[in-house]
Amino acid sequence: MPLSLRQRVGLELQRSLRKTDEQLHPLRTLFWECTLRCNMSCRHCGSDCKVQPAVKDMPAEDFLRVVDSLTPHVDPHKVFIIFTGGEALLRDDLEQVGLELYRREYPWGLVTNGFLLDEKRLESLMRSGMHSITVSLDGPEEQHNWIRRHPQSFEKATQAIRLLTQQKDLLWDVVTCVNPRSYPHLKEFMEYLVSLGVPAWRLFSIFPMGRAAGDPDLQLSDEQYRGILDFIKEEREKESRIRVSFSCEGFLGDYEQRVRDHFFFCRSGVEVASIRCDGAISGCTSVRSHMDQGNIYQGDDLWDVWQNRFQMMRDRRWARKDQCAACKVWRYCEGSGLHLYDDDGHLLTCHYRRLQK
């Protein structure tokens, strides 16, 4: 379906706001890839994390030095810091880092597979000032354990979610990477999440990076991709018992603002930065090394890099090539999400185009 007049008006407003943000680039989210260690070997891992990765964990004091160098230039209350990995909970010093951030008045949260989140660990994280947490649960038990390659992964993640339902002063949600095995079970899985008391559920497709690049069984057909969006749209039109939304991964044509609360905008390098395990300074952690903008271990200062680099993420004219060269919705999309580009700067997949088939 073509974009409605209302959508076009909204998209034009969003485009104007995006151009302002690209010029001002207010830093609002900072990811810390604190480890590349993981207690699983998930089929869809975009980072190809391992139990014993080649890159060691970043020392906590190194990250806190970066935060302290940033603090004079920002309002800490307006910069949200997110611990990610690998599996962040494999680190036993997250509470110490979190408490130091709390003392500096930075809100912080983390992303986890939930396996290590027991009652004791959750209490210690809460005492250290944790504001939010996201747990990954990728479908019903059989499908989740298949993609996570661990027979207890579903049980442990579900136990973690049950603990979170008891927390009144914590923002949290569940994310699901949908694949052809879990796709037929979306409705029943939603009912399961509702029964657990999950307040919000975000759905992703799996993009062909890292370990997922070599596994075609993880890729949804165009029909299934559209089916996910129809499912979300229908649930959002109801008085739903759970807040369902699609991820921020690409421009979705006439589904814009029908499957998520906002219009598409790739904020990587515009509002979102990351410090990766090896010291690299980049946009979001889904954008890999070919888009690095600096490195703290090579003498680069995060604020200086944030202010004076990231041009390729804020001016996307370089991406108007290949299938994007004559695209009629370029002004709203500007080449989709940066995480969907290969090392040579070519777009791997276009969500808008697959919806037109």
Side-chain angles (χ1 to χ4, degrees):
M1 291 176 59
L3 293 168
S4 68
L5 177 61
R6 181 177 181 180
Q7 285 176 311
R8 288 190 178 276
V9 170
L11 285 164
E12 288 295 337
L13 177 59
Q14 169 67 32
R15 183 172 183 271
S16 176
L17 294 173
R18 183 177 70 232
K19 293 304 177 187
T20 300
D21 265 5
E22 287 169 355
Q23 293 177 357
L24 299 177
H25 46 268
L27 181 58
R28 295 190 172 120
T29 303
L30 177 63
F31 285 94
W32 180 33
E33 185 185 68
C34 60
T35 183
L36 283 177
R37 290 182 292 141
C38 193
N39 49 2
M40 296 187 193
S41 183
C42 304
R43 299 174 189 273
H44 61 316
C45 181
S47 303
D48 197 16
C49 295
K50 298 176 174 65
V51 174
Q52 294 294 332
V55 180
K56 294 182 179 180
D57 292 0
M58 177 179 287
E61 56 268 26
D62 291 358
F63 178 67
L64 289 172
R65 275 196 294 270
V66 172
V67 172
D68 287 338
S69 73
L70 179 68
T71 301
H73 307 287
V74 300
D75 179 350
H77 304 97
K78 296 181 179 179
V79 180
F80 199 89
I81 296 176
I82 302 174
F83 302 161
T84 186
E87 173 48 47
L89 290 180
L90 284 169
R91 290 188 66 130
D92 59 11
D93 61 352
L94 290 188
E95 287 85 348
Q96 290 91 332
V97 178
L99 189 56
E100 290 300 324
L101 294 177
Y102 178 78
R103 289 169 176 163
R104 291 161 171 80
E105 301 186 3
Y106 285 93
W108 65 273
L110 63 89
V111 180
T112 177
N113 60 33
F115 197 89
L116 299 173
L117 191 67
D118 57 18
E119 186 173 3
K120 181 179 179 181
R121 191 74 197 268
L122 178 58
E123 287 179 356
S124 68
L125 290 166
M126 293 293 291
R127 287 196 302 269
S128 300
M130 183 173 70
H131 284 66
S132 78
I133 187 168
T134 291
V135 178
S136 297
L137 195 62
D138 293 318
E141 185 168 11
E142 179 182 345
Q143 289 75 28
H144 177 86
N145 288 347
W146 172 79
I147 200 169
R148 295 283 168 173
R149 288 174 167 163
H150 196 297
Q152 292 180 288
S153 58
F154 181 87
E155 178 186 356
K156 292 289 189 178
T158 298
Q159 289 174 1
I161 290 168
R162 292 187 189 279
L163 290 173
L164 293 176
T165 63
Q166 302 170 29
Q167 298 296 325
K168 292 183 171 40
D169 299 320
L170 183 67
L171 295 172
W172 64 280
D173 66 354
V174 167
V175 297
T176 297
C177 291
V178 185
N179 65 82
R181 291 195 181 203
S182 61
Y183 172 77
H185 305 282
L186 287 178
K187 183 68 176 178
E188 66 183 81
F189 185 57
M190 184 190 74
E191 293 299 329
Y192 178 72
L193 296 179
V194 169
S195 74
L196 291 177
V198 174
W201 181 32
R202 284 182 291 150
L203 288 81
F204 289 71
S205 63
I206 298 172
F207 53 94
M209 290 286 193
R211 205 172 290 144
D215 192 345
D217 291 339
L218 297 175
Q219 303 305 313
L220 297 163
S221 69
D222 294 337
E223 181 181 3
Q224 290 170 329
Y225 188 79
R226 180 179 288 277
I228 292 176
L229 300 181
D230 285 335
F231 167 76
I232 296 173
K233 180 170 71 70
E234 290 166 8
E235 290 303 321
R236 287 171 65 90
E237 289 170 352
K238 300 175 184 177
E239 191 172 333
S240 187
R241 297 154 294 161
I242 186 171
R243 192 168 69 254
V244 187
S245 61
F246 192 62
S247 69
C248 60
E249 62 191 61
F251 181 73
L252 302 175
D254 65 298
Y255 287 97
E256 285 294 319
Q257 219 175 28
R258 291 174 174 165
V259 295
R260 51 195 174 205
D261 296 336
H262 52 82
F263 289 110
F264 170 70
F265 173 15
C266 182
R267 289 176 166 79
S268 185
V270 180
E271 298 177 356
V272 179
S274 66
I275 302 295
R276 294 216 306 273
C277 216
D278 61 0
I281 301 170
S282 190
C284 74
T285 50
S286 293
V287 177
R288 301 318 296 171
S289 60
H290 63 289
M291 292 189 183
D292 289 354
Q293 300 297 306
N295 193 299
I296 65 169
Y297 293 131
Q298 296 173 8
D300 290 318
D301 174 77
L302 172 60
W303 184 251
D304 178 68
V305 171
W306 181 254
Q307 290 294 88
N308 298 302
R309 302 186 197 176
F310 287 94
Q311 287 85 356
M312 71 173 302
M313 300 187 186
R314 297 168 187 167
D315 183 349
R316 299 286 292 275
R317 286 177 292 183
W318 60 268
R320 192 158 196 179
K321 61 187 178 185
D322 303 333
Q323 58 189 295
C324 298
C327 181
K328 61 183 179 181
V329 296
W330 164 264
R331 66 189 290 106
Y332 307 133
C333 177
E334 293 198 352
S336 197
L338 288 171
H339 65 290
L340 297 174
Y341 283 81
D342 65 18
D343 290 356
D344 297 318
H346 297 290
L347 186 63
L348 290 167
T349 183
C350 173
H351 299 300
Y352 175 76
R353 180 171 293 228
R354 70 189 304 187
L355 291 170
Q356 306 312 301
K357 296 178 181 178

